[in-house]
Amino acid sequence: MSYAPSASAQPSSQASAKTRQIAHLAQQLQLLAQRTEQLEQLSATTAEQASYMRLLGGYHAAWFMASQRIMTPGDTPDEQGDSQTQQGQ
């Protein structure tokens, strides 16, 4: 008792299975190509945004340095001169 399909049915089923597999592979390759193109576009957008983020980081650093100079008492020459005259009296 053999459980294998008959010899006449086997070549056509193999051909249809192979055709299905090739069609599925073609569909998967097309999907891969679309996603690769989308990844390329997203990477370009990310690179552009990274340059803007770098500029924004520079602006924030400048603001923090400027606020430190403004908020620190006795940092300006006028205040330093006043504090020295008060200490000398």
Side-chain angles (χ1 to χ4, degrees), residues 65-80:
M65 288 187 285
S67 67
Q68 191 266 338
R69 287 196 70 166
I70 293 170
M71 301 301 266
T72 305
D75 197 23
T76 61
D78 293 339
E79 290 177 6
Q80 287 177 356

Side-chain angles (χ1 to χ4, degrees), residues 53-67:
M53 288 177 66
R54 181 176 179 221
L55 289 173
L56 185 63
Y59 292 142
H60 279 264
W63 290 339
F64 283 130
M65 288 187 285
S67 67

Side-chain angles (χ1 to χ4, degrees), residues 26-36:
Q27 181 184 16
Q28 292 294 318
L29 287 173
Q30 183 181 13
L31 182 62
L32 179 63
Q34 289 173 353
R35 289 186 177 170
T36 303

